[in-house]
Amino acid sequence: MDAQTTLFQQHRPRLFGLAYRMLGTPADAEDVLHDAWLRWHAQDTTALDDPEAWLVTVTTRLALDRLRRAKSERTHYTGPWLPEPLVPDAERPEEELERGETITLSFLLLLERLSPDERAAFLLNEVFDYSHAEAAAILGIGEDACRQRVHRARTRLREGRPRFSVDGPTRRRMLQRFIEAMKQPDLESLRALFAEDAIAISDGGGVVRAVLRPLQGADRLARLYTQIATRFYSRPDVRFTIVDLNGEPVLLAWVDDTLASATWIECEGDHITATLALRHPGKLARLAAVTKSRVSASLH
């Protein structure tokens, strides 16, 4: 590789980590990096005092433009929109996705509470450790304005964070309990798994059947999953696997070789506080091929 390409590749993991957190989908993040590369390739890099700052600035602004368009498009999306996990092949250690908790699917969904400008300021300052002055320069705004955006973002995220942080093994154990309850569906057994204020969110994108708005309450979730278990989970051609995506265990439901859903959960103690189910076939198709050969646990 020539020096210009080598320098871009050196910073690529950091740029991808930023773009992915901004947009919530790997494909969009890759598109942003492609556009950033084209601009970098056309740039006289010998004239740059700080190539990394230039690349981060271009990537951030490209991601901001794309996120603003995506926010507008998602107003017409059928039902809730959920982030798309990274496929395992993209989770290389050298990708420098700093602070692993900030790429969890739950956290990416939490970032959807923010405006695009707040999201960019927060990520630059809180996740990538740029000062307010540096983040302001990247965003082309005043330092006070940047500080205000970060403050508003922190406040909104604090309101939506789970009350307790649960580690991966605990979530995996709860997912296994969830599957066992679904295999022999009983309304009371399922209800006992959920916190009183538990919430279910499902992303089918209008392509497949899914709950069109968040469903809340242990009773309602128990009835929902009893119906799902009776109609779907008891079928002989359905199998389940648990894989780690974005630092969290995720439950995959397969019908033969087709990935039908990916579900991750939030927990508090011995209760599930949220189920987040990705059912959109397009999103699942990008995930299925690589996870087939990277299964970390199987449930039969």
Side-chain angles (χ1 to χ4, degrees), residues 53-279:
W54 189 93
L55 284 167
V56 170
T57 299
V58 169
T59 299
T60 301
R61 295 183 183 184
L62 287 169
L64 259 175
D65 289 343
R66 183 173 284 264
L67 181 58
R68 290 180 182 122
R69 293 196 302 271
K71 286 281 191 182
S72 176
E73 292 167 0
R74 287 172 197 166
T75 61
H76 305 291
Y77 195 83
T78 302
W81 180 91
L82 292 178
E84 205 173 323
L86 290 167
V87 296
D89 284 349
E91 295 183 295
R92 308 179 190 89
E94 68 271 17
E95 292 250 317
E96 197 184 311
L97 295 172
E98 300 98 331
R99 302 186 188 180
E101 71 275 10
T102 66
I103 63 160
T104 64
L105 301 175
S106 301
F107 188 77
L108 291 175
L109 181 59
L110 199 58
L111 289 175
E112 290 296 307
R113 291 170 172 255
L114 307 180
S115 71
D117 292 333
E118 290 168 348
R119 188 166 179 163
F122 175 84
L123 289 173
L124 289 169
N125 180 248
E126 291 288 314
V127 177
F128 292 91
D129 295 322
Y130 290 100
S131 68
H132 287 106
E134 291 168 330
I138 291 169
L139 296 171
I141 59 176
E143 185 174 346
D144 286 344
C146 181
R147 195 181 303 272
Q148 290 171 2
R149 290 177 185 179
V150 173
H151 175 72
R152 286 197 303 267
R154 282 200 205 108
T155 301
R156 293 186 183 184
L157 295 180
R158 194 180 303 120
E159 293 169 353
R161 278 184 182 274
R163 287 166 287 187
F164 299 95
S165 177
V166 176
D167 59 25
T170 300
R171 291 189 193 216
R172 182 178 290 269
R173 187 171 65 251
M174 289 301 297
L175 279 173
Q176 291 170 337
R177 286 183 57 193
F178 175 66
I179 286 301
E180 292 305 316
M182 293 285 279
K183 285 181 177 178
Q184 297 179 327
D186 173 78
L187 192 62
E188 287 306 313
S189 297
L190 276 165
R191 192 194 183 287
L193 282 178
F194 296 112
E196 287 298 328
D197 58 350
I199 189 169
I201 300 174
S202 182
D203 177 355
V207 182
V208 296
R209 179 178 294 181
V211 179
L212 292 179
R213 57 183 58 85
L215 194 67
Q216 190 161 19
D219 288 333
R220 300 177 76 186
L221 266 64
R223 288 195 295 271
L224 169 68
Y225 280 105
T226 298
Q227 293 175 3
I228 293 174
T230 302
R231 296 176 182 175
F232 178 72
Y233 280 54
S234 59
R235 290 171 47 178
D237 57 345
V238 174
R239 63 186 177 90
F240 306 98
T241 59
I242 297 177
V243 299
D244 288 326
L245 298 174
N246 291 49
E248 293 179 301
V250 179
L251 175 66
L252 305 181
W254 302 84
V255 179
D256 292 326
D257 288 332
T258 300
L259 183 58
S261 69
T263 302
W264 62 100
I265 61 173
E266 296 175 5
C267 304
E268 182 179 316
D270 289 332
H271 292 96
I272 296 172
T273 58
T275 64
L276 310 172
L278 189 62
R279 301 208 60 238

